[in-house]
Amino acid sequence: MSYRTEEVAYVQPAQPAASAQAAQATQQRSTAEYRALDAAHHIHPFSDMGSLNRSGSRVIVKAQGVYLWDSEGNKVIDGMAGLWCVNVGYGRKELVDAAYKQMQELPYYNTFFKTTHPPVIELSALLAELAPEAFNHFFYCNSGSEGNDTVLRIVHQYWATQGKHSKKFVISRKNGYHGSTIAGGTLGGMGYMHEQMPSKVENIVHIDQPYFFGEAQGNLTPEEFALARAQQLEAKILEIGADNVAAFIGEPFQGAGGVIFPASTYWPEIQRICRKYDILLVADEVIGGFGRTGEWFAHQHFGFEPDLITLAKGLTSGYVPMGAVGLHDRVAKAIIQNGDFNHGLTYSGHPVAAAVAVANLKLLRDEKIVDRVKNDTGPYFQKQLRETFANHPIIGEISGTGLVAGLQLAQDPKTRKRFANGGDVGTICRDFCFNGNLIMRATGDRMLLSPPLVINKVEIDEIVSKAKKAVDATAQQLGIS
Ligand code: PXG
């Protein structure tokens, strides 16, 4: 591929690599050179490339603990654990060693044709130990999206084994996120993704989300509102016919949708309805899994029992890609006893990914990282956020538990009046965070935090004070005080 400077004329001029040797020394380019090459050859996910290429990306070159460094030497605190995934923090040698050792011993083998290997065996046994008692079987893939594709395959196979072939519909939620494959994108309820995706998976329908701050009308309490939103599931099942509905899928709390935490009435009602109409209940634990809420899995925080769980991100702390689906015994039994399951990926149970996952899960368990989130750092983080932003003129709500939180930006917090141009306000605030060397994610008018689970209290204080500065600066820019 050629390096075409005319395509990158709008970023700082770059010096093309003088020799093949220099070209290989990828850590030694200047920021301008990195940006120019990135603009010339790299399409980023979910990005407006024209505008990104004009401004230039921030080049992240290394990381340690909860900190990142960019190519200009700035030290940035990562309030998002990468993309909600680096649960054990950056730079853990145990994971590096596990990958190195496994690559030497057996870098790849498949698990298709009557073969298996030690890392995938160890991982499956360990997951069975860490997951709730009824989860003893796991299927592997490379990502959360593939996990949810796999969920669809398992759900349909399950009902086929029960002789209930008409059970084909899957009910999901608006503003849910389940990935970006065609199936993941269809399951998700992001309108802007659906618009760009004329081909969708059939038989998927959506109900409304339990977003109290933004969508509750009248004088409903959060509990009443959550119950009403859960009861939309029953109405939808009755509309489609229970004999045609295979499953309901939801994130225990919506992550990418804005860290939307439903009130305590929501999930018990969803579970009651699923059981009543014999519908599988799927918890997408891609963000909530592996300690984020202080429990190993977020459904345990909300107190319900799914039939399937989708896993990814924290499974390997993002060091290598891996996803999985956990099957409740009753589903696993049906799949195991009924012939071929015609689904698999070249890298299902990849030995290096599995070895890294084992090392990662052992750290989370043996260093009592999940326990610490539940009893120490999680409560501290939540308390600091709530105290710092109490009565703030543009903070309407703080959601979350453990080490995940959402801050609702609002024009009038008391009347739950949101900004008319909510996404713009979120972007302003996100940019203030970015310039203040804090990574915080904006979803519309909600600011999200999900730091590495190894974060300590001093680092939590740093995140909270940097977030406060950014929110204050946003309010000032809007002329609100
Ligand atoms: N389910 C959930 C609940 C997720 O959050 C996926 C499935 C898909 O996982 P993969 O590994 O295929 O990306 C996700 C992913 C964001 C953001 O901006 C969130 C995700 C991915 C990318 C960006 O918040 N979540």
Side-chain angles (χ1 to χ4, degrees):
M1 293 299 253
S2 65
Y3 171 49
R4 290 177 304 175
T5 44
E6 73 274 12
E7 284 187 5
V8 294
Y10 35 78
V11 297
Q12 282 175 275
Q15 298 300 313
S19 67
Q21 195 188 8
Q24 279 173 1
T26 53
Q27 297 299 307
Q28 286 166 20
R29 296 182 189 277
S30 68
T31 300
E33 201 176 352
Y34 277 134
R35 284 187 177 154
L37 284 171
D38 194 68
H41 302 298
H42 179 198
I43 309 278
H44 292 230
F46 285 94
S47 299
D48 171 345
M49 287 313 301
S51 114
L52 179 60
N53 289 347
R54 279 188 291 280
S55 59
S57 294
R58 190 169 203 168
V59 184
I60 305 298
V61 292
K62 65 172 185 176
Q64 184 65 39
V66 300
Y67 290 100
L68 306 164
W69 280 263
D70 69 17
S71 56
E72 294 179 315
N74 295 304
K75 184 179 174 189
V76 182
I77 191 159
D78 186 2
M80 282 303 297
L83 261 183
W84 322 80
C85 54
V86 188
N87 288 14
V88 295
Y90 299 95
R92 290 307 305 249
K93 192 165 178 301
E94 294 84 346
L95 276 63
V96 179
D97 289 346
Y100 181 70
K101 186 162 166 272
Q102 190 56 46
M103 280 200 184
Q104 288 177 316
E105 236 157 60
L106 180 71
Y108 176 75
Y109 203 70
N110 72 72
T111 49
F112 277 51
F113 308 118
K114 300 188 178 177
T115 56
T116 188
H117 49 70
V120 80
I121 296 167
E122 296 297 344
L123 175 57
S124 305
L126 185 54
L127 280 170
E129 182 191 312
L130 297 172
E133 208 181 320
F135 284 85
N136 291 297
H137 294 85
F138 300 87
F139 182 97
Y140 299 98
C141 51
N142 304 291
S143 65
S145 302
E146 287 179 1
N148 285 325
D149 280 43
T150 300
V151 159
L152 289 187
R153 303 290 285 270
I154 294 175
V155 161
H156 293 313
Q157 174 77 354
Y158 173 80
W159 288 117
T161 68
Q162 307 301 299
K164 297 194 174 175
H165 298 276
S166 64
K167 276 189 169 288
K168 292 231 180 316
F169 275 86
V170 176
I171 302 175
S172 171
R173 298 175 306 176
K174 292 175 194 160
N175 198 37
Y177 189 79
H178 298 293
S180 196
T181 52
I182 302 290
T186 311
L187 283 170
M190 305 293 183
Y192 57 89
M193 286 175 75
H194 286 194
E195 278 161 29
Q196 268 188 4
M197 197 172 54
S199 305
K200 298 193 191 67
V201 171
E202 54 193 359
N203 300 328
I204 291 174
V205 293
H206 297 81
I207 58 172
D208 287 324
Q209 57 174 331
Y211 177 23
F212 178 77
F213 192 92
E215 298 184 359
Q217 306 282 337
N219 293 324
L220 288 181
T221 64
E223 288 71 25
E224 289 165 346
F225 172 75
L227 200 61
R229 284 289 155 108
Q231 284 163 356
Q232 279 196 11
L233 176 61
E234 187 156 29
K236 189 55 93 179
I237 292 168
L238 294 174
E239 179 191 321
I240 300 169
D243 287 348
N244 300 320
V245 181
F248 172 78
I249 182 169
E251 305 151 80
F253 63 89
Q254 290 150 260
V259 184
I260 305 225
F261 263 63
S264 59
T265 45
Y266 185 76
W267 281 108
E269 181 68 356
I270 292 279
Q271 175 164 295
R272 183 192 69 76
I273 294 165
C274 287
R275 298 283 175 262
K276 178 172 176 190
Y277 296 101
D278 205 9
I279 283 155
L280 292 178
L281 174 51
V282 185
D284 183 336
E285 291 272 4
V286 167
I287 284 179
F290 305 109
R292 185 56 54 200
T293 62
E295 303 290 344
W296 275 89
F297 299 94
H299 72 264
Q300 296 169 307
H301 169 78
F302 289 100
F304 68 100
E305 187 185 57
D307 297 297
L308 292 162
I309 50 178
T310 319
L311 308 171
K313 295 192 189 275
L315 173 60
T316 56
S317 282
Y319 279 52
V320 290
M322 186 176 230
V325 177
L327 292 77
H328 190 287
D329 286 343
R330 65 174 161 262
V331 179
K333 195 166 150 213
I335 301 292
I336 291 164
Q337 288 178 351
N338 287 282
D340 281 343
F341 176 49
N342 294 312
H343 177 54
L345 303 147
T346 304
Y347 301 127
S348 286
H350 192 286
V352 177
V356 171
V358 167
N360 171 61
L361 298 179
K362 284 185 175 167
L363 281 187
L364 286 173
R365 181 192 63 188
D366 299 343
E367 294 189 350
K368 305 211 179 319
I369 294 169
V370 180
D371 291 354
R372 223 166 46 233
V373 174
K374 180 170 179 145
N375 298 312
D376 187 15
T377 48
Y380 182 75
F381 178 65
Q382 298 297 331
K383 180 169 154 282
Q384 293 307 98
L385 282 174
R386 282 167 174 75
E387 281 178 11
T388 303
F389 289 102
N391 302 318
H392 193 284
I394 62 164
I395 295 294
E397 172 192 69
I398 295 176
S399 62
T401 193
L403 285 175
V404 63
L407 275 61
Q408 173 77 53
L409 300 170
Q411 187 165 347
D412 183 356
K414 291 204 175 60
T415 58
R416 299 206 313 266
K417 182 162 187 256
R418 294 167 66 193
F419 290 106
N421 56 345
D424 295 351
V425 179
T427 305
I428 293 170
C429 187
R430 200 259 325 268
D431 290 347
F432 277 124
C433 292
F434 206 63
N435 295 334
N437 290 330
L438 163 66
I439 304 279
M440 200 170 177
R441 162 109 166 72
T443 286
D445 52 10
R446 288 174 77 86
M447 302 304 301
L448 316 182
L449 284 167
S450 170
L453 304 186
V454 293
I455 194 166
N456 63 35
K457 290 180 181 170
V458 174
E459 293 159 343
I460 288 174
D461 288 345
E462 182 181 342
I463 288 190
V464 174
S465 77
K466 284 185 166 170
K468 173 78 164 43
K469 271 194 193 129
V471 175
D472 286 349
T474 307
Q476 200 181 2
Q477 179 158 332
L478 296 170
I480 301 175
S481 57

